[in-house]
Amino acid sequence: MPQPTFRLQDDPVGGLPEEWDAAFAEIGERPFRARQVFRWIHTRSVADPAHMTDIAKTLREKLSTWQMAMPVEIAHAHRAADDTRKILVRFARRPEAGTVETVLIPPMPDEDDDDDDDEAPPVGPKSGLRAPARRVTQCISSQVGCAMGCVFCASGVAGLKRHLTAGEIVAQVLLGRTQLDPGEAIRNVVLMGMGEPLHNYDNVARALRLLTHHDGLDLSTRRVTVSTSGLVPEIERLGRDFKGEISLAISLHAPNDTLRSQLMPINRKYPLSELIPALRRYPLARRRRITVEYTLLKGVNDQREHARALARLLAGIPTKLNLIPMNPIEGAPYEKPEHQDVLDFQGILRAAGYSVFIRKTRGDDIDAACGQLALQGARAVKRSLPVFEAPGSGDHGRA
Ligand code: SAH
Ligand code: SF4
């Protein structure tokens, strides 16, 4: 799908500070005005110039022809008993544009909330709020649907409808921030909602720059995670463009090409013989690890021999493994694994020296995966969906 050249006037939330400077120079406005508008959007979630109280009326009038509004809005929100918030997102004034989902995930009650990193403070509901906060992880979407066609995934079964713009990706976090409770802050952002982020590389890369920009949301790069089914050239590009600072999660799901190609058609294009070396080459910072996601499908990829083969395949790569018990989807013949098989799978990998976590579902009455919500519509929100543990916060061995 061709990606049109970016135009600030069409997607103000996707604009980088230097683009605001240039666009303001063209309309005879000074750079500090540009930065003011950028901050209204990215630190206060306000995109309508009418609400930017310290901006001159003449400037607001000049901006009136730009698409100066939040591109996303809440179609439906549901809060589970554990305070997980699931938001069905629609695109303002564009009913034909489809829906995606985003999920706010508070820390587990037993989760260590301390922050021992030398990193920027988390993103609070208001700029300037820097007190210790309950650190929330937000899962966001990068496309409406997905072209990758993984057989166990609702987004894959539905196919790709469109790429989100950078502004639509970032605006999910700006919107998510308005749904925080007092004392909470968004600490991690994971691109694990609907879509294959690296298939929408340009918009995702732009969104990553915005999410981590010090004049904006200012998230720490290591606390932003891109999850991919394994687009090898784009993994390399991400590593290069961000010097390995953006956290990488790879959806592996099988330890050999035969099985992986059955489950994930992308493996026919980029087999393990290309993917694994690309992971080895990812320019990880010291003491950092790649998250490996492995969805366990009953009787398909969850047996002891698969665990042993996985241990051999990943030897020498700094990884953290997340085992995800399959969430059954309508129309696909895959089932949840037996609990004992999950524990055995974990045990084999742990014995081989890996950090392995079993991803706990979050929210109530869990019966759908992140990525399924928007496809099933708002009714599914009420039934709730599971949420993904942040790779950056999953080191506490709660499996
Ligand atoms: N497209 C990206 C990110 C979104 S999917 C990717 O594939 O990595 C996030 C994770 O959920 C992936 O690991 C995906 O394989 C997994 N997943 C998708 N459908 C699932 C299901 N029905 N049950 C369990 N995990 C699922
Ligand atoms: Fe797309 Fe990821 Fe689903 Fe595969 S698992 S179809 S890549 S969203």
Side-chain angles (χ1 to χ4, degrees), residues 308-366:
R308 285 191 287 265
L310 188 59
R312 287 193 297 275
L313 183 70
L314 297 175
I317 306 177
T319 55
K320 178 166 59 181
L321 274 91
N322 271 345
L323 303 179
I324 315 170
M326 166 76 187
N327 289 287
I329 59 164
E330 256 172 56
Y334 301 101
E335 292 170 48
K336 232 180 218 342
E338 299 294 341
H339 188 56
Q340 190 55 50
D341 286 342
V342 179
L343 295 179
D344 289 350
F345 202 97
Q346 180 187 38
I348 289 168
L349 286 155
R350 281 203 164 156
Y354 291 92
S355 310
V356 196
F357 306 95
I358 299 170
R359 190 174 279 172
K360 294 264 164 50
T361 49
R362 303 286 301 276
D364 49 19
D365 307 316
I366 304 306

Side-chain angles (χ1 to χ4, degrees), residues 73-273:
E73 58 193 28
I74 297 176
H76 187 94
H78 172 71
R79 181 188 284 256
D82 68 0
D83 285 338
T84 295
R85 274 140 278 176
K86 300 137 198 204
I87 302 166
L88 185 70
V89 171
R90 68 173 168 234
F91 301 94
R93 298 187 302 271
R94 293 186 60 201
E96 81 294 351
T99 52
V100 294
E101 72 204 28
T102 183
V103 187
L104 294 170
I105 312 153
M108 302 279 274
D110 61 346
E111 199 165 312
D112 179 359
D113 214 16
D114 288 350
D115 189 21
D116 53 3
D117 302 322
D118 53 344
E119 62 179 46
V123 178
K126 292 198 179 81
S127 62
L129 199 159
R130 297 304 194 203
R134 188 155 88 131
R135 292 160 192 280
V136 170
T137 293
Q138 186 170 2
C139 174
I140 60 173
S141 295
S142 56
Q143 297 175 318
V144 181
C146 181
M148 299 299 126
C150 303
V151 295
F152 50 84
C153 172
S155 308
V157 170
L160 177 65
K161 192 161 175 211
R162 68 182 184 94
H163 293 305
L164 296 194
T165 67
E168 288 167 341
I169 297 168
V170 172
Q172 291 170 61
V173 183
L174 303 179
L175 185 73
R177 186 171 48 181
T178 67
Q179 302 300 301
L180 292 174
D181 292 342
E184 285 185 336
I186 294 167
R187 205 289 180 73
N188 296 288
V189 167
V190 296
L191 281 94
M192 292 188 184
M194 199 186 240
E196 165 50 58
L198 296 185
H199 183 214
N200 184 14
Y201 188 90
D202 291 345
N203 291 322
V204 165
R206 174 181 278 278
L208 296 173
R209 293 197 195 290
L210 288 163
L211 292 170
T212 57
H213 200 284
H214 56 83
D215 278 337
L217 286 149
D218 200 19
L219 288 160
S220 156
T221 42
R222 58 166 300 206
R223 300 220 166 261
V224 179
T225 301
V226 170
S227 174
T228 179
S229 56
L231 277 66
V232 168
E234 284 77 18
I235 291 173
E236 299 194 322
R237 203 169 153 199
L238 185 76
R240 259 196 326 272
D241 288 354
F242 293 90
K243 303 187 181 69
E245 285 167 6
I246 294 290
S247 290
L248 183 67
I250 176 85
S251 295
L252 206 56
H253 309 326
N256 62 64
D257 278 326
T258 313
L259 189 52
R260 195 164 191 269
S261 293
Q262 274 168 27
L263 302 174
M264 307 177 71
I266 188 69
N267 194 69
R268 294 173 209 152
K269 191 162 181 196
Y270 303 115
L272 292 170
S273 57

Side-chain angles (χ1 to χ4, degrees), residues 17-93:
E18 54 273 24
E19 291 164 340
W20 280 100
D21 291 352
F24 270 41
E26 272 177 34
I27 58 170
E29 293 285 345
R30 310 235 301 279
F32 87 93
R33 289 282 174 216
R35 209 50 61 102
Q36 248 178 325
V37 171
F38 182 85
R39 289 212 186 95
W40 270 106
I41 296 173
H42 292 274
T43 69
R44 298 161 99 158
S45 302
V46 171
D48 180 353
H51 296 125
M52 298 179 185
T53 44
D54 56 358
I55 304 277
K57 197 159 171 253
T58 47
L59 173 54
R60 289 191 220 165
E61 276 161 14
K62 285 187 196 170
L63 295 178
S64 65
T65 56
W66 299 17
Q67 307 291 318
M68 294 287 289
M70 273 299 155
V72 299
E73 58 193 28
I74 297 176
H76 187 94
H78 172 71
R79 181 188 284 256
D82 68 0
D83 285 338
T84 295
R85 274 140 278 176
K86 300 137 198 204
I87 302 166
L88 185 70
V89 171
R90 68 173 168 234
F91 301 94
R93 298 187 302 271

